[in-house]
Amino acid sequence: MGAKLRVYKRRIRSVTATKKITKAMEMIAASRVVKAQRQVAASTPYSSELTRAVTAVATGSNTQHPLTTEAEKPTRAALLLITSDRGLAGGYSSNVIKAADQLTERLRAQGKEVDAYIVGRKGVAYYSFRERTFVESWTGFTDNPTYADAKKIGAPLIEAVQKDTAEGGVDELHIVYTEFISMMTQTALGDRLLPLSLDKAAAEPDGQAKGEILPLFDFEPSAEDVLDALLPRYVESRIYNALLQAAASKHAATRRAMKSATDNAEELIKSLSRLANAARQAEITQEISEIVGGSAALADATAGSD
């Protein structure tokens, strides 16, 4: 009986230590998600206004440009997948990877080859384990991305868009990431960055009001030069906003997962404590029974000798 009590106490100490770790991780994630939310709120207006500016330039000119002109028969697409460098976030990475797989199947069903670009160790590990090829990957900054990281990611993607498909270029650029909606809700989604859909951009909440007449523009030196200058800014700002959304979503998912782990640890400690108390009571009862039995035997022996 004493051995069983020692086992229960050892397990309680082990679970208590685990609970301290998960509680600390929950608190860290809670503090980080607040900062990430602020960064998302700060970057979204810039990204929306830049999209609106590109829409205005494209609508006010007849220039054929990769930013706004769709290929007649697109044959190749680039897909940027944003995952996490770390785990302990529930189904965060698996959900966004699943969304990327669905988008990849849909693009291939349309007859397009898909070039994968991956952000985050989880995505790299997923593709490597399944021996899937990808063009380039970036890791080590998903918890706290900066605009410099977005520029680093955007450079090869912009280069691929500007190339001919015969030379290894792409006709379309898609991004798959996790959109931060609230502390309890994060949604994995896929979006096409290039070519920009003018109708969709105009229909966005931050876009022009319904029925609003767009102003006429004169472009110096030309509309094409303006779009060339806006192309990297547009791609980088959208990637940066997606990285921030993904970081906020990951921290929220980590907080939720660690809170669940902490709650489970508390329930397990309560259960083990009840078992330990029952074992201790059984041990005490057995010791009392042995004492009473020994005393009775001693009394019987004394009475027999008399």
Side-chain angles (χ1 to χ4, degrees):
M1 195 64 67
K4 182 180 280 190
L5 182 59
R6 285 195 296 272
V7 169
Y8 287 140
K9 288 184 176 180
R10 186 164 58 247
R11 290 188 62 189
I12 289 172
R13 287 196 298 270
S14 175
V15 175
T16 301
T18 303
K19 176 189 166 185
K20 290 179 180 178
I21 294 172
T22 56
K23 185 65 177 178
M25 294 181 70
E26 177 191 347
M27 295 175 67
I28 292 170
S31 65
R32 287 179 175 175
V33 74
V34 172
K35 179 182 177 182
Q37 278 182 280
R38 291 173 183 165
Q39 289 179 318
V40 169
S43 71
T44 299
Y46 174 79
S47 178
S48 300
E49 284 302 318
L50 187 55
T51 302
R52 187 177 181 182
V54 172
T55 304
V57 174
T59 305
S61 69
N62 297 320
T63 303
Q64 300 294 311
H65 193 274
L67 186 59
T68 56
T69 306
E70 296 190 25
E72 292 184 6
K73 293 182 179 179
T75 58
R76 187 186 293 269
L79 186 148
L80 176 62
L81 169 61
I82 299 178
T83 63
S84 173
D85 285 321
R86 301 180 182 182
L88 300 177
Y92 167 78
S93 289
S94 60
N95 289 338
V96 73
I97 289 172
K98 183 178 179 181
D101 286 344
Q102 292 172 349
L103 178 57
T104 300
E105 291 175 5
R106 191 159 61 247
L107 292 172
R108 286 174 177 166
Q110 296 171 2
K112 302 171 186 173
E113 295 182 29
V114 179
D115 293 342
Y117 296 78
I118 305 174
V119 177
R121 292 190 180 95
K122 290 295 180 181
V124 173
Y126 179 86
Y127 272 66
S128 299
F129 180 76
R130 287 158 181 78
E131 298 183 350
R132 297 184 184 180
T133 59
F134 52 89
V135 179
E136 199 164 343
S137 65
W138 302 268
T139 61
F141 54 80
T142 57
D143 281 355
N144 187 26
T146 63
Y147 195 83
D149 298 320
K151 290 186 70 173
K152 184 168 58 177
I153 296 168
L157 294 171
I158 294 169
E159 184 180 352
V161 169
Q162 292 174 333
K163 277 185 183 178
D164 254 346
T165 51
E167 300 174 356
V170 297
D171 298 309
E172 296 177 355
L173 171 57
H174 298 260
I175 183 171
V176 182
Y177 65 101
T178 305
E179 182 183 23
F180 181 85
I181 298 173
S182 69
M183 289 293 291
M184 298 302 297
T185 307
Q186 301 87 41
T187 306
L189 57 83
D191 193 14
R192 191 180 77 176
L193 294 187
L194 296 175
L196 176 65
S197 176
L198 300 182
D199 294 336
K200 180 179 176 182
E204 288 180 353
D206 293 327
Q208 69 183 76
K210 187 175 181 180
E212 179 184 348
I213 299 175
L214 288 173
L216 296 176
F217 293 96
D218 287 330
F219 305 106
E220 293 291 344
S222 68
E224 185 175 2
D225 290 333
V226 173
L227 288 173
D228 283 341
L230 287 177
L231 174 60
R233 301 289 180 271
Y234 166 73
V235 173
E236 290 164 6
S237 68
R238 291 294 298 271
I239 291 175
Y240 181 52
N241 184 257
L243 288 172
L244 293 176
Q245 296 258 8
S249 299
K250 190 268 178 185
H251 294 316
T254 298
R255 178 182 176 275
R256 193 165 57 249
M258 291 301 101
K259 186 179 187 308
S260 177
T262 302
D263 293 343
N264 290 340
E266 288 179 354
E267 291 298 321
L268 185 55
I269 290 170
K270 290 179 182 178
S271 177
L272 291 171
S273 297
R274 284 193 293 267
L275 292 172
N277 290 336
R280 185 166 57 251
Q281 289 170 0
E283 185 178 352
I284 292 171
T285 302
Q286 182 178 353
E287 289 177 356
I288 292 173
S289 298
E290 290 174 355
I291 292 170
V292 170
S295 177
L298 182 60
D300 289 344
T302 303
S305 64
D306 291 342

